[in-house]
Amino acid sequence: MDDELSKRSSMVHRNSELSRLHAEIEELKHQIEIRDIALNATKIMIRITSAEGTNLYANSPKAVLGYTNEEREGQSTFDIIHPDDREAVMQFFFSNFSREDLEETPPIEYRIKHKDGYYLWAKAIGTVVKKAGRPPLGVVTIWDITQSKEMEDQLHALAERLHTIREEERTRISREIHDEFGQALTGLKFELAMLFKKIRPENKAATEKARALMASIDETIQLVRRISTDLRPPILDDFGLKDAIEWQTEDFEKKTGIATILTSTLTDDFILEKEKAISIFRIFQEALTNVARHSEASAVSIAIDYREGLFSLRIRDNGKGITEDEIRNKRSLGIMGMKERAFALRGIFNIQAASDGGTLVECSIPLRQERVE
């Protein structure tokens, strides 16, 4: 009798325990469902993969990529990544599993294929979960950043168009200054020379005045030519970026007296689209202008390099350096202009105080050059 009661009591207890576990499971499923709804609404996907890159779980790839969970489960995480981005993503993924620390990785951006055949831009960060006795798992959080990328592309296009308009205006003004003012001053000099011939030799005061006026006109003609050249150096249009940079370097050293060393890997067949060459030259020109105006430097080293589709510019002076306030100052139009030009070319611009004094300017721009056959 007692045994029977004990069995019944144990069965009731087990049923009660099972009911509680079922309730907890249902509650967990409900919480997961709510979480997935929230993540899907914000176009965020949580993906769990094996160390080989096999999909084990995703909250709901259909909301982001159009696939059902069943369609992607057990598939490689790499097969729907754009071929041009796949190698970089694989390096990013497998390097995480080889790390000793379990900290979150830096973000990576890449293109991923939607079920309908088009590509989305994704931003991902990942971490590796390692537990004793269990295989490691990769946990990756993925955002759909297609819209922000499209907006970024529009900003790039607008910035590039703005700089194109500015350069067209500078070219027009340069031509007008050179042609209109130059011709007017040359005509004035000619008329003054004719008057000079009519001055009697004994009238020394008038003779000296005329000579002084002719010298002043010559100086003004040179000034007009310099302003016109600064607005739009003809060497940039006639010979290209390499020669323009070399000319600007020599001109900078001659005008400022600052010892300048230029090292460059650019070859004579280095040819760029005109607008890109102009933007890079303006960044270079503005950086040297800042050195002359603010650095109090006695020496500048310039390094220019182009390899594997990446153009890099590095300018280092030995002056007083630059402060964080000066870097962040929104009224610093020169720095803002350099950043805008680099941004328009999808490049990276950085200016900072060098660790051992002076200022360091670095700019990297992805380029596809044209070669002379």
Side-chain angles (χ1 to χ4, degrees):
M1 187 70 143
D2 291 339
D3 289 343
E4 186 68 26
L5 288 173
S6 178
K7 287 180 182 179
R8 288 183 181 180
S9 176
S10 178
M11 188 177 298
V12 170
H13 178 73
R14 282 201 302 270
N15 289 339
S16 175
E17 186 68 18
L18 285 172
S19 297
R20 186 181 64 80
L21 287 173
H22 281 303
E24 288 183 1
I25 290 170
E26 290 302 317
E27 178 61 24
L28 284 172
K29 286 182 177 179
H30 179 63
Q31 291 179 12
I32 291 171
E33 184 180 355
I34 291 174
R35 182 204 60 190
D36 287 354
I37 290 171
L39 290 172
N40 297 337
T42 55
K43 292 194 174 182
I44 297 175
M45 186 164 66
I46 307 296
R47 177 177 289 173
I48 299 176
T49 69
S50 68
E52 294 75 32
T54 302
N55 284 301
L56 303 177
Y57 167 80
N59 54 301
S60 180
K62 188 170 184 179
V64 179
L65 299 174
Y67 304 96
T68 64
N69 213 353
E70 292 73 19
E71 287 174 318
R72 292 302 303 156
E73 189 174 348
Q75 301 298 312
S76 170
T77 192
F78 307 117
D79 62 358
I80 57 173
I81 293 173
H82 193 286
D84 293 345
D85 302 335
R86 192 171 295 153
E87 184 177 351
V89 175
M90 291 177 72
Q91 288 178 355
F92 164 84
F93 180 87
F94 291 119
S95 65
N96 290 340
F97 279 91
S98 64
R99 290 170 49 169
E100 292 299 325
D101 63 90
L102 301 180
E103 294 182 0
E104 198 171 73
T105 62
I108 184 173
E109 296 181 0
Y110 57 91
R111 287 159 291 180
I112 190 167
K113 193 174 185 179
H114 192 276
K115 186 178 180 179
D116 291 340
Y118 62 88
Y119 283 91
L120 302 172
W121 271 101
K123 182 177 183 179
I125 56 173
T127 189
V128 177
V129 178
K130 295 180 180 179
K131 290 188 177 181
R134 296 183 181 181
L137 297 176
V139 180
V140 184
T141 305
I142 303 169
W143 290 268
D144 179 1
I145 59 168
T146 305
Q147 189 173 12
S148 63
K149 274 290 185 181
E150 290 173 351
M151 292 177 67
E152 188 177 306
D153 288 341
Q154 291 176 9
L155 285 173
H156 281 302
L158 287 171
E160 193 170 351
R161 179 56 184 156
L162 175 62
H163 291 303
T164 299
I165 292 171
R166 285 178 180 172
E167 286 300 328
E168 289 173 351
E169 189 66 8
R170 290 177 75 139
T171 302
R172 183 186 65 79
I173 294 172
S174 172
R175 188 178 297 115
E176 288 186 2
I177 288 175
H178 182 273
D179 294 346
E180 300 298 330
F181 286 174
Q183 289 177 12
L185 288 167
T186 301
L188 187 60
K189 181 181 177 180
F190 177 77
E191 294 294 333
L192 186 58
M194 296 297 293
L195 287 173
F196 180 76
K197 291 180 180 180
K198 296 180 180 180
I199 298 174
R200 297 188 177 189
E202 59 270 20
N203 193 344
K204 293 184 179 181
T207 299
E208 290 300 319
K209 185 66 175 177
R211 283 176 178 164
L213 287 172
M214 290 181 70
S216 178
I217 290 174
D218 284 336
E219 291 176 1
T220 305
I221 289 173
Q222 292 301 317
L223 178 62
V224 166
R225 287 176 180 171
R226 181 173 63 79
I227 292 172
S228 176
T229 300
D230 287 345
L231 280 169
R232 179 70 173 213
I235 193 171
L236 186 60
D237 293 320
D238 297 339
F239 297 98
L241 181 63
K242 177 180 177 291
D243 289 326
I245 286 174
E246 292 173 356
W247 166 81
Q248 183 68 63
T249 302
E250 292 175 4
D251 188 63
F252 171 82
E253 185 172 38
K254 182 171 65 177
K255 288 179 179 178
T256 64
I258 299 174
T260 308
I261 298 175
L262 170 66
T263 57
S264 171
T265 63
L266 300 189
T267 57
D268 291 335
D269 63 351
F270 183 84
I271 306 295
L272 286 179
E273 296 175 27
K274 181 187 290 186
E275 298 306 324
K276 290 182 178 179
I278 291 169
S279 290
I280 291 173
F281 181 77
R282 292 302 182 200
I283 293 171
F284 177 71
Q285 196 176 43
E286 184 60 40
L288 290 185
T289 298
N290 282 350
V291 172
R293 288 179 179 172
H294 309 297
S295 72
E296 300 178 12
S298 60
V300 179
S301 62
I302 303 166
I304 295 173
D305 181 59
Y306 177 80
R307 66 185 69 193
E308 297 180 356
L310 185 68
F311 178 94
S312 60
L313 165 67
R314 189 176 188 272
I315 300 176
R316 166 74 185 275
D317 68 61
N318 67 345
K320 64 180 183 180
I322 188 170
T323 67
E324 287 297 322
D325 288 340
E326 289 171 330
I327 293 172
R328 291 194 297 264
N329 188 351
K330 294 183 179 179
R331 290 181 292 179
S332 180
L333 299 180
I335 294 176
M336 288 179 63
M338 288 186 284
K339 287 181 177 178
E340 286 177 3
R341 289 185 184 278
F343 174 81
L345 295 177
R346 302 176 186 276
I348 299 171
F349 176 85
N350 181 55
I351 182 170
Q352 64 185 42
S355 57
D356 54 348
T359 300
L360 175 64
V361 172
E362 293 177 302
C363 184
S364 299
I365 296 171
L367 292 176
R368 214 186 284 174
Q369 70 153 323
E370 302 169 6
R371 289 192 172 271
V372 177
E373 298 295 336

